[in-house]
Amino acid sequence: MKHLKTLRVRFTLWTAIWLLLVLSLSEAFVYINFAREQAQSIDDALRLTAAQVLLDIDDEMLLLEHANTVASSILRDQFSIQIVDLAGETRQRYGLYQDLLPPHRIAAIPDQTGIFTTVIDPASQHSIRVYTVPIVEEERTLGLLQVAQSLLVLQQALNQLLTTLLIAGPIVIILAGIGGYILAARALTPIDQITRTAARISVEDLSARLDLPSTADEVGRLAATFDTMLARLEDGWRRERQFIADASHELRTPLTTMQTILSSTLARQRPPAEYEKALGDLAEETDRMKLLAEGLLLLARNDTYRAAAYQSVDFSTLLQDVTDSLSPLTADKNIALTCRVPPNLSLNGDHDGLIRMFVNLLGNAIKYTEQGQITIFLKRQTDQFIEVALADTGMGIAAEHLPYIFDRFYRVETSRTTAGTGLGLAIALSIAKAHGGTISVESEIGKGSVFLVSLTRRQ
Ligand code: ATP
Ligand code: MG
């Protein structure tokens, strides 16, 4: 029963049922047409023979002239004939079925075209076709001519045709069914493979692939999509694991430092100044841990951002506010910080998230620039999106690091001297993505960097 539910069996059954219908209809059509044509040709032959015989009838005598030759040719073709006079008396008859020809009365003959009747031979039970025409001389009806032939040959031909059709039909259906089953089985093999692979896959091992030869058909596309989906899942899963490993490692570093400070300070009695320094160091490490924990929390939250919480944001004011609040950081440096964004730019988004993104980007620009300019400017805007650039004349980023700076915890070696967790850009990018946008970067070492933020307006 379970087998019946497989797609290949159902496909085969439907093919067979459909074929049965089509074949039955077309076979019935062939049979009926053949029967009609054959009956017609027998009637035509009877009419022709009657016409020939009529020519040989002596009108006065109502008898066949050259009776022997005519009769033998008629008999050879298995016709029977009978000539009847106006009184209904048989004048002459030849052939196998002469006794069967029904005694027609003159009045029963409607016109000169004659009539056809079919009678049954009681001895053999065969049907016999009879054609009756009047014998007419100068518009006078003298008698009747009847020509008959057995329908046995036609019946046999029809029976043979019926047998052939009844045998051929099921054979064709069985062959088509087998063919359909093999085709369906072939086409569906990859699906079975997909099922087995899917059953084998677990979260721990996403490495299984179908690796089927690529075909352009539906199943081929499904298999290819399945493989790319697995690749994406595996990639995501690997990154997730890497993130957890990195996060725990990053959290362990300040904890280890704190443990070291605590155990070495507690090892013996110390003057108050040393305790004070130790507490200061501990406070620094707790700050670092707090930053890390906050950063991780933000990333986790951004992954599940809800567009429903978005509100209309005055983007121009937001950028100016971020610039103003960070400008004290440039106090010790020789940097000209400017925000050149036209007023009344607006978009739909998360106000706090956007502030955090630009604080991270501008914070980096200030952190990694010693002198020169930092400029925020509007690059492009359409009805759909806004592009804002942050350009600095700082240390720049080497090409080999560029692909990784948005990764969580990634910091370029040279910037290790500055404080940081390496989460800033990852957070900024996740906020941009949550706003249907992205961040790209162009940078040259020693010359500076340009971060380009593009956001959709969702209005
Ligand atoms: P934090 O998490 O505190 O922001 P971070 O600034 O080191 O730490 P990210 O903001 O993610 O981390 O930046 C990653 C790395 O990219 C930085 O360590 C730095 O090497 C490089 N970087 C980012 N912005 C700039 C910039 N404007 N100029 C030069 N290097 C940059
Ligand atoms: Mg940063």
Side-chain angles (χ1 to χ4, degrees), residues 348-366:
N348 261 340
D350 169 41
H351 188 261
D352 294 348
L354 289 171
I355 289 185
R356 191 164 300 116
M357 173 170 71
F358 282 104
V359 165
N360 283 351
L361 291 171
L362 192 56
N364 280 352
I366 297 172

Side-chain angles (χ1 to χ4, degrees), residues 283-403:
E284 234 171 67
E285 292 306 316
T286 42
D287 272 352
R288 194 169 136 71
M289 272 191 65
K290 196 174 147 233
L291 271 179
L292 258 174
E294 276 172 3
L296 290 174
L297 210 66
L298 271 175
L299 276 174
R301 215 193 78 190
N302 282 341
D303 285 347
T304 55
Y305 241 125
R306 292 269 168 83
Y310 288 1
Q311 69 216 48
S312 172
V313 175
D314 180 349
F315 199 47
S316 311
T317 314
L318 183 142
L319 288 175
Q320 193 58 56
D321 287 352
V322 171
T323 315
D324 292 346
S325 64
L326 291 194
S327 67
L329 296 178
T330 62
D332 315 342
K333 302 182 176 184
N334 186 15
I335 299 175
L337 175 60
T338 41
C339 174
R340 285 195 274 113
V341 175
N344 299 328
L345 271 184
S346 67
L347 57 77
N348 261 340
D350 169 41
H351 188 261
D352 294 348
L354 289 171
I355 289 185
R356 191 164 300 116
M357 173 170 71
F358 282 104
V359 165
N360 283 351
L361 291 171
L362 192 56
N364 280 352
I366 297 172
K367 195 155 64 165
Y368 303 114
T369 305
E370 281 313 313
Q371 57 176 3
Q373 288 129 35
I374 297 174
T375 320
I376 303 178
F377 60 94
L378 180 70
K379 182 93 189 266
R380 230 160 27 126
Q381 69 158 319
T382 68
D383 288 346
Q384 280 86 41
F385 64 89
I386 296 182
E387 271 183 15
V388 173
L390 284 94
D392 66 51
T393 55
M395 61 198 283
I397 305 159
E400 72 253 37
H401 295 297
L402 276 182

Side-chain angles (χ1 to χ4, degrees), residues 119-166:
V119 293
I120 306 283
D121 173 9
S124 61
Q125 290 297 315
H126 294 156
S127 300
I128 292 153
R129 191 76 169 152
V130 183
Y131 178 54
T132 310
V133 275
I135 303 167
V136 182
E137 163 73 14
E138 288 166 1
E139 300 196 352
R140 265 183 328 117
T141 303
L142 307 174
L144 291 175
L145 169 67
Q146 291 190 304
V147 187
Q149 193 178 38
S150 163
L151 290 176
L152 180 65
V153 182
L154 168 65
Q155 208 59 53
Q156 278 168 346
L158 281 178
N159 284 346
Q160 208 163 19
L161 177 67
L162 193 66
T163 321
T164 313
L165 293 180
L166 285 182

Side-chain angles (χ1 to χ4, degrees), residues 67-78:
N68 287 342
T69 30
V70 173
S72 68
S73 85
I74 285 168
L75 290 177
R76 196 183 54 231
D77 293 336
Q78 311 220 320

Side-chain angles (χ1 to χ4, degrees), residues 63-113:
L63 286 174
L64 270 178
E65 290 168 347
H66 334 291
N68 287 342
T69 30
V70 173
S72 68
S73 85
I74 285 168
L75 290 177
R76 196 183 54 231
D77 293 336
Q78 311 220 320
F79 289 105
S80 305
I81 60 168
Q82 172 172 247
I83 298 169
V84 187
D85 64 18
L86 283 177
E89 289 291 319
T90 302
R91 289 295 185 86
Q92 217 170 12
R93 50 193 198 179
Y94 296 99
L96 222 52
Y97 303 113
Q98 43 180 296
D99 291 339
L100 285 169
L101 303 182
H104 268 100
R105 300 207 141 268
I106 311 301
I109 305 301
D111 54 36
Q112 295 185 13
T113 53

